[in-house]
């Protein structure tokens, strides 16, 4: 029921037992801008007292203890023109803070007969009603109204400070059309000489005939005798004996021996650990079928089952995969899996595997011709030697991405400025630097 026009402030009766629920409802009504004409316990309230208060709304805190009292007050609560608002007493007692404010706004909207339940400052914007037809033309500003502003701007124009810090270069000009720019690029032809200038100019000196055999325009297929004397310089060139080419002492050059000692000691060392088998599989699968350096793989495994790791990687790697043994030489273009007790030492003709209790030593590699990749699970103890090798000229990279389950070591080298990428991306960079083409030459 909407509020009467004769009494804009609603008259409200509050029926609730003494307690927290009654206090919360009284606070909500106090903020709802209403007139509380009666506040009483429904158990002790008489129907005639409720009728004499003449309320427009009755707010009742429902609970099991007042059910009989509501039946007794039913004749007064059923009066025409009376609106009943019920609330659970238990909920009203617990309601506090934002929830209490929200419920109070809904109660005030019901008592005042409107739909505004948003907090102050969040009122609904009026809805835009679309109408058919062409929209109205906006009013055109009158020149008489703008004229005072124009005159004021003109009077202030001389007082505006100019930009004296910048002056355009003298060679800059206004923009020109495309046709003019193209015409400016054409070479300037010399003016045609007049007959008087041609007569005054000395006759051109004929150029000397070329003496080199590279001028093929003077060659002839007809063997004709010439009466002209031969050029003495040409005759001397022809008469000079050609040097003899000795083919008896030719030999094939050992390309491997001719390579620098540092390049023969270079290698691609891959370090991995937890989560490393998958990252290693992705790296080896993306490598080319030929590399100018050997690939050394060191990944700690529980139980030392490196033979199984060799079999797994051989299924996806385009390069041959084998288990490194002490005394064996590291072969370029092959993958060597290192056990925990296998290290390397550099010799004049390359890298050789040897038994080492501490395992692989990064410092044993040639920095200028080596690369180092730290995959998921690489040991943090390798970060320092890896960065030292990078400072000496080595290419060092670390794995990043979702597949890096233990990124501590890889992230450390990436944070130091080394190359970062997924295993496939790192393999592409390795192929570009150390890959071999179809002829076996380095890329």
């Amino acid at each position: 029921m909407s509020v009467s026009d004769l009494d804009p402030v609603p008259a409200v009766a509050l029926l609730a037992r003494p307690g927290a629920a009654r206090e919360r409802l009284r606070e909500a009504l106090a903020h709802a801008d209403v007139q509380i004409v009666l506040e009483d316990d429904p158990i002790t309230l008489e129907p005639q007292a409720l009728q004499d208060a003449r309320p427009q709304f009755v707010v009742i805190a429902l609970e099991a203890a007042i059910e009989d009292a509501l039946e007794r007050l039913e004749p007064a609560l059923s009066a025409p023109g009376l609106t009943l608002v019920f609330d659970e007493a238990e909920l009203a007692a617990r309601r506090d803070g934002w929830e209490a404010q929200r419920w109070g706004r809904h109660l005030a909207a019901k008592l005042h007969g409107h739909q505004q339940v948003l907090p102050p400052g969040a009122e609904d914007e009026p809805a835009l009603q679309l109408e058919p037809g062409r929209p109205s033309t906006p009013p055109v500003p009158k020149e008489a109204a703008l004229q005072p502003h124009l005159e004021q701007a003109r009077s202030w124009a001389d007082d505006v400070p100019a930009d004296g810090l910048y002056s355009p270069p003298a060679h800059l000009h206004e923009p020109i059309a495309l046709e003019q720019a193209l015409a400016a690029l054409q070479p300037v032809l010399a003016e045609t000489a007049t007959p008087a200038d041609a007569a005054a100019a000395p006759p051109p000196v004929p150029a000397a005939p070329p003496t080199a055999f590279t001028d093929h325009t003077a060659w002839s297929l007809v063997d004709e005798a010439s009466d002209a004397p031969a050029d003495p310089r040409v005759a001397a060139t022809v008469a000079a004996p050609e040097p003899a080419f000795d083919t008896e002492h030719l030999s094939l050059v050992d390309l491997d021996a001719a390579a620098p000692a540092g390049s023969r000691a270079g290698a691609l060392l891959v370090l991995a650990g937890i989560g490393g088998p998958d990252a290693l599989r992705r790296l080896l699968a993306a490598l080319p079928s030929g590399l100018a350096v050997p690939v050394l793989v060191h990944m700690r495994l529980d139980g030392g089952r490196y033979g199984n790791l060799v079999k797994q990687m051989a299924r996806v790697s385009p390069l041959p995969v084998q288990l490194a043994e002490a005394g064996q030489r590291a072969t370029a273009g092959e993958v060597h899996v290192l056990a925990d007790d296998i290290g390397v030492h550099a010799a004049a003709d390359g890298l050789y595997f040897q038994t080492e209790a501490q395992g692989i030593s990064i410092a044993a590699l040639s920095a200028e011709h080596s690369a180092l990749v730290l995959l998921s699970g690489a040991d943090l103890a390798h970060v320092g030697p890896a960065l030292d090798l990078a400072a000496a000229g080595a290419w060092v990279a670390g794995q990043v991405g979702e597949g890096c389950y233990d990124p501590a070591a890889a992230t450390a080298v990436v944070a130091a400025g080394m190359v970062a990428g997924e295993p496939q991306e790192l393999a592409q960079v390795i192929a570009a630097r150390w890959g071999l083409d179809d002829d076996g030459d380095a890329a």
Side-chain angles (χ1 to χ4, degrees):
M1 175 181 178
S2 61
V3 181
S4 173
D5 296 336
L6 300 178
D7 188 8
V9 179
V12 180
L14 174 59
L15 303 183
R17 296 180 63 192
R22 185 168 172 175
E23 298 293 335
R24 296 289 188 273
L25 291 175
R26 185 190 305 114
E27 294 176 0
L29 292 174
H31 291 87
D33 192 18
V34 298
Q35 179 185 3
I36 302 178
V37 296
L38 177 65
E39 180 180 344
D40 204 344
D41 186 349
I43 297 179
T44 61
L45 179 65
E46 294 296 332
Q48 188 61 39
L50 180 60
Q51 294 177 358
D52 294 342
R54 303 179 64 85
Q56 296 173 289
F57 297 89
V58 179
V59 178
I60 304 174
L62 288 177
E63 54 182 321
I66 67 171
E67 291 181 359
D68 297 337
L70 293 180
E71 292 181 1
R72 183 173 52 82
L73 296 174
E74 183 176 359
L77 297 176
S78 301
L82 188 63
T83 301
L84 304 181
V85 179
F86 297 95
D87 189 18
E88 293 287 344
E90 183 179 0
L91 295 178
R94 297 199 311 262
R95 195 177 294 124
D96 194 7
W98 177 85
E99 186 179 0
Q101 296 176 9
R102 177 179 176 274
W103 189 89
R105 291 194 299 270
H106 283 265
L107 177 61
K110 186 173 184 62
L111 297 179
H112 288 278
H114 59 73
Q115 302 296 327
Q116 179 58 38
V117 295
L118 297 177
E123 292 78 6
D124 292 332
E125 296 182 358
L128 297 178
Q129 299 295 334
L130 300 180
E131 298 180 359
R134 179 181 297 178
S136 59
T137 305
V140 180
K142 298 181 179 180
E143 295 184 2
L146 295 178
Q147 190 62 31
H149 301 283
L150 296 177
E151 294 178 357
Q152 185 181 25
R154 189 180 299 108
S155 63
W156 289 353
D158 297 335
D159 299 333
V160 176
D163 188 1
L165 299 179
Y166 172 79
S167 58
H171 66 277
L172 295 182
H173 306 284
E174 293 294 330
I176 60 176
L178 177 60
E179 293 78 3
Q180 299 177 0
L182 294 177
L185 296 178
Q186 299 297 327
V188 179
L189 299 178
E191 296 182 358
T192 305
T194 60
D197 297 336
V205 179
T211 59
F213 288 101
T214 55
D215 186 9
H216 60 275
T217 58
W219 295 357
S220 176
L221 296 179
V222 180
D223 187 9
E224 296 179 353
S226 177
D227 295 337
D231 193 337
R233 292 173 296 177
V234 176
T237 305
V238 175
E242 296 182 359
F245 189 78
D246 187 6
T247 60
E248 297 181 358
H249 299 85
L250 294 179
S251 63
L252 297 178
V253 178
D254 188 356
L255 297 179
D256 190 28
S263 64
R264 295 194 296 273
L268 167 62
L269 176 59
V270 181
L271 303 175
I274 300 176
D278 179 67
L280 179 61
R281 186 182 300 108
R282 292 158 57 190
L283 176 71
L284 295 182
L287 290 178
S289 57
L291 283 179
V293 293
V295 180
L296 312 182
V297 175
H298 176 66
M299 182 171 61
R300 295 189 180 275
L301 297 177
D302 295 337
R305 296 185 296 270
Y306 292 99
N308 294 337
L309 180 63
V310 171
K311 295 178 182 178
Q312 295 177 8
M313 297 302 134
R315 297 190 184 100
V316 298
S317 174
L319 300 174
V321 183
Q322 57 180 321
L323 186 62
E325 299 180 359
Q328 179 186 6
R329 179 187 174 188
T331 306
E334 295 185 3
V335 179
H336 302 273
V337 177
L338 308 181
D340 294 339
D341 58 348
I342 294 296
V344 296
H345 72 279
D349 56 346
L351 287 175
Y352 282 84
F353 302 113
Q354 63 182 7
T355 302
E356 290 286 348
Q358 296 80 12
I360 183 67
S361 175
I362 298 177
L365 300 178
S366 172
E368 184 180 357
H369 301 89
S370 296
L372 183 60
V373 177
L374 283 78
L375 299 179
S376 174
D379 195 347
L380 276 173
H382 291 145
V383 174
L387 296 180
D388 293 340
L389 197 69
W395 182 86
V396 179
Q399 178 188 357
V400 296
E402 297 180 357
C404 194
Y405 302 101
D406 183 10
T411 304
V413 297
V414 171
M418 301 298 104
V419 181
E422 293 278 357
Q424 301 93 321
E425 298 172 348
L426 299 179
Q428 294 177 1
V429 180
I430 293 170
R433 293 173 62 94
W434 293 280
L436 299 178
D437 55 18
D438 297 337
D439 298 333
D441 297 329

